[in-house]
């Protein structure tokens, strides 16, 4: 069977299974099984058993449930209210006022949760009622939250960077550090847009709040202190070489439990719910990783990645042309698949051609996560849109229109990162030099 016919069959099988509602992990396994039977019949059982076990028997993956549990603990604690209370005095005098609390709150919560959906839900439940009561325009308030909620994918500890690292055998510590500066750059771009919008739409902004007193500022610093300390402990320990990502995840869980215990925000019922939520999310990701691992080997037997990489090389595309094509490809995929599925589904095919083009796989991981962030705010399956729909009661396409400027800013950030790759690579390289 020629490569083109085989590729068409596998694509039809994949999307047929996904449209039928079968779980993504099992769909990937089924496609891999079809690929093996069409190319190497009789080997599927042995390869399946070996690769599924091997894909999950990775020490670095133990960081995954720990970081997820840390986010679940903080999601159920008083952290969200403390974040908003701590940020408000420092943002309300800026052009855009408390809209910046949405952006900075999402950035801080992303740095301790690793989940885009949890970031959007936690900050949204706290900030949107407050912004509405103060007279802020609903379109820009919901739009900033939809865009900034995607920080959970990029700012470490990012769950999706752990998944990418496991799927591509890249250093999770380096991936974490590679996401720091692009995440801060993206937050700065969002804040800059909000300032420009506020200055151009003064009639849609409430009257400025009075300057905060020193007592308010000190109270805000005390409210933000535990969160900032936890971020420094997790990321700082990795950068300084004092802890691996797995050890840093344990530090994060212990810190989250201490914060929750000291603030009285976690009772026995919510503690049990945090463990259950972490177990469910971890098992879902584990199934997807197992299916992706089996599919990666199956694709190797088919020869599709090698043929595709060779074909791309023969075309003589520049790195920018290749990245532009991949940007469009991933945006289209984002209309139909969630972020983790996009990563595990495409890396086995895309990474060989990316490395053949001389693109750093650590940098490409950040590029991929930026593009996956776009999928969180594109209908019909943008998960952040569903979260905001449940919070606000508005239609998903209405929320998508509110998020459109921030989608375009994500495209701009991707272009900037492509032109200046050192934004992502400087921190990992300095860690390596240390």
């Amino acid at each position: 069977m020629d490569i083109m016919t085989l590729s068409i069959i596998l694509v039809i099988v994949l999307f047929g299974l996904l449209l039928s509602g079968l779980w993504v992990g099992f769909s990937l396994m089924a496609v891999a099984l079809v690929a093996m039977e069409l190319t190497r019949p009789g080997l599927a059982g042995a390869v399946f058993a070996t690769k599924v076990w091997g894909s999950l028997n990775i020490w670095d993956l133990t960081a995954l449930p720990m970081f997820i549990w840390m986010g679940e603990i903080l999601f159920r604690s008083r952290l969200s209210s403390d974040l908003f209370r701590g940020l408000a005095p420092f943002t309300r005098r800026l052009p855009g006022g408390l809209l910046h609390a949405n952006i900075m709150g999402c950035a801080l919560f992303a740095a301790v949760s690793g989940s885009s959906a949890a970031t959007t839900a936690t900050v949204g439940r706290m900030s949107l009622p407050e912004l509405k009561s103060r007279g802020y325009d609903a379109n820009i308030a919901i739009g900033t939250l939809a865009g900034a909620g995607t920080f959970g994918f990029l700012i470490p500890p990012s769950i999706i960077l752990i998944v990418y690292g496991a799927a591509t055998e890249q250093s999770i510590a380096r991936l974490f550090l590679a996401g720091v500066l692009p995440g801060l750059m993206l937050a700065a771009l969002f804040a800059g847009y909000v300032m420009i919008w506020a200055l151009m739409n003064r009639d849609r902004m409430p009257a400025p709040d009075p300057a905060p007193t020193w007592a308010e500022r000190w109270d805000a610093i005390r409210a933000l202190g535990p969160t900032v300390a936890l971020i420094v402990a997790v990321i700082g320990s990795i950068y300084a070489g004092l802890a691996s990502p797995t050890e840093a995840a344990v530090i994060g869980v212990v810190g989250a439990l201490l914060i929750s215990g000291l603030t009285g925000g976690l009772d026995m019922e919510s503690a049990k719910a945090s463990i259950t939520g972490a177990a469910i999310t971890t098992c879902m990701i584990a199934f997807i990783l197992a299916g992706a691992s089996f599919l990666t080997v199956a694709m190797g037997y088919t020869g599709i990645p090698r043929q595709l990489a060779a074909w791309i090389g023969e075309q003589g595309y520049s790195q920018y042309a290749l990245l532009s094509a991949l940007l469009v490809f991933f945006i289209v995929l984002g209309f139909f698949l969630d972020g983790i599925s996009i990563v595990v589904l495409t890396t086995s095919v895309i990474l060989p051609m990316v490395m053949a083009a001389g693109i750093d796989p650590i940098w490409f991981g950040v590029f991929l996560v930026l593009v996956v962030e776009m999928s969180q705010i594109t209908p019909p399956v943008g998960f952040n849109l569903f979260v905001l729909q449940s919070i606000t009661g508005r239609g998903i396409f209405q929320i998508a229109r509110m998020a459109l400027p921030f989608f375009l800013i994500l495209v701009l950030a991707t272009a900037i990162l492509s032109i200046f790759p050192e934004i992502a690579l400087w921190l990992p390289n300095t860690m390596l030099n240390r």
Side-chain angles (χ1 to χ4, degrees):
M1 184 180 299
D2 65 273
I3 292 291
M4 182 60 69
T5 303
L6 179 61
S7 301
I8 293 172
I9 291 173
L10 295 180
V11 168
I12 292 173
V13 171
L14 174 62
F15 281 96
L17 292 172
L18 291 175
L19 291 172
S20 72
L22 186 64
W23 291 357
V24 173
F26 291 133
S27 297
L28 299 179
M29 293 177 191
V31 174
L33 181 61
V34 171
M36 290 292 296
E37 289 300 323
L38 291 176
T39 55
R40 295 291 191 276
L43 289 179
V47 171
F48 175 81
T50 303
K51 292 309 297 180
V52 167
W53 170 253
S55 66
L56 300 179
N57 188 28
I58 300 174
W59 172 247
D60 283 346
L61 273 182
T62 54
L64 184 65
M66 300 302 290
F67 277 128
I68 294 173
W69 189 22
M70 181 180 76
E72 291 282 341
I73 293 168
L74 296 174
F75 175 69
R76 290 168 172 81
S77 71
R78 288 173 44 192
L79 178 69
S80 57
S81 59
D82 286 347
L83 274 180
F84 195 84
R85 182 165 58 89
L87 289 170
F90 300 110
T91 61
R92 64 192 188 198
R93 298 291 292 175
L94 295 172
L98 291 180
L99 293 172
H100 294 286
N102 260 359
I103 297 170
M104 296 181 188
C106 285
L108 285 174
F109 192 83
V112 291
S113 77
S115 167
S116 177
T119 299
T120 305
T122 304
V123 178
R125 289 194 184 106
M126 182 63 202
S127 69
L128 289 181
E130 184 73 18
L131 293 172
K132 182 180 179 180
S133 68
R134 291 172 180 255
Y136 282 86
D137 183 85
N139 288 342
I140 189 67
I142 296 173
T144 54
L145 187 60
T150 64
F151 291 160
F153 273 166
L154 181 60
I155 297 177
S158 163
I159 303 304
I160 205 164
L161 283 176
I162 297 176
V163 172
Y164 174 83
T168 59
E169 299 182 353
Q170 298 298 317
S171 166
I172 293 174
R174 296 195 71 202
L175 285 167
F176 274 6
L177 294 175
V180 172
L181 292 182
L184 295 176
M185 175 190 73
L186 191 57
L189 289 174
F190 283 177
Y193 170 78
V194 168
M195 289 182 185
I196 294 171
W197 185 92
L199 293 173
M200 295 177 64
N201 297 273
R202 296 179 187 272
D203 57 322
R204 298 168 66 181
M205 291 292 297
D209 289 325
T213 65
W214 282 106
E216 289 177 319
R217 290 172 177 157
W218 176 244
D219 183 58
I221 291 172
R222 285 189 300 175
L224 290 175
T227 303
V228 174
L230 187 59
I231 294 169
V232 171
V234 172
I235 306 302
S237 62
I238 295 175
Y239 180 75
L242 301 175
S244 68
T246 302
E247 293 162 342
V250 176
I251 294 172
V253 169
V254 173
L257 289 171
L258 286 174
I259 291 174
S260 302
L262 293 174
T263 59
L266 193 70
D267 55 23
M268 185 58 67
E269 183 179 346
S270 55
K272 290 179 180 177
S274 71
I275 296 174
T276 303
I280 291 172
T281 303
T282 302
C283 290
M284 176 199 72
I285 296 173
F287 273 121
I288 294 175
L289 282 173
S293 178
F294 185 29
L295 180 61
T296 299
V297 177
M299 293 298 287
Y301 279 113
T302 64
I304 293 175
R306 291 191 301 273
Q307 293 281 349
L308 190 56
W311 181 79
I312 293 291
E314 291 170 0
Q315 307 310 306
Y317 291 142
S318 67
Q319 288 187 356
Y320 292 137
L322 175 60
L323 292 173
S324 299
L326 290 176
L327 176 64
V328 175
F329 172 69
F330 285 126
I331 289 175
V332 172
L333 276 186
F335 293 150
F336 308 103
L337 297 173
D338 66 277
I340 291 176
S341 300
I342 291 174
V343 171
V344 298
L345 183 61
T346 58
T347 48
S348 62
V349 177
I350 298 297
L351 198 62
M353 72 173 73
V354 165
M355 296 184 70
I359 298 173
D360 189 290
I362 296 292
W363 179 90
F364 184 73
V366 177
F367 170 88
L368 180 55
V369 169
L370 271 175
V371 180
V372 165
E373 285 185 341
M374 300 176 197
S375 72
Q376 293 295 99
I377 52 176
T378 53
V381 296
F383 201 74
N384 279 17
L385 303 182
F386 287 118
V387 172
L388 287 171
Q389 184 182 36
S390 68
I391 294 175
T392 65
R394 296 173 181 263
I396 191 169
F397 288 97
Q398 184 183 9
I399 298 172
R401 285 196 299 273
M402 298 173 184
L404 179 60
F406 299 92
F407 174 87
L408 297 177
I409 292 173
L410 281 167
V411 176
L412 173 63
T414 306
I416 294 173
L417 188 68
S418 301
I419 298 172
F420 303 104
E422 283 303 310
I423 295 174
L425 295 177
W426 181 76
L427 267 183
N429 289 340
T430 58
M431 179 196 74
L432 211 61
N433 290 336
R434 293 168 69 90

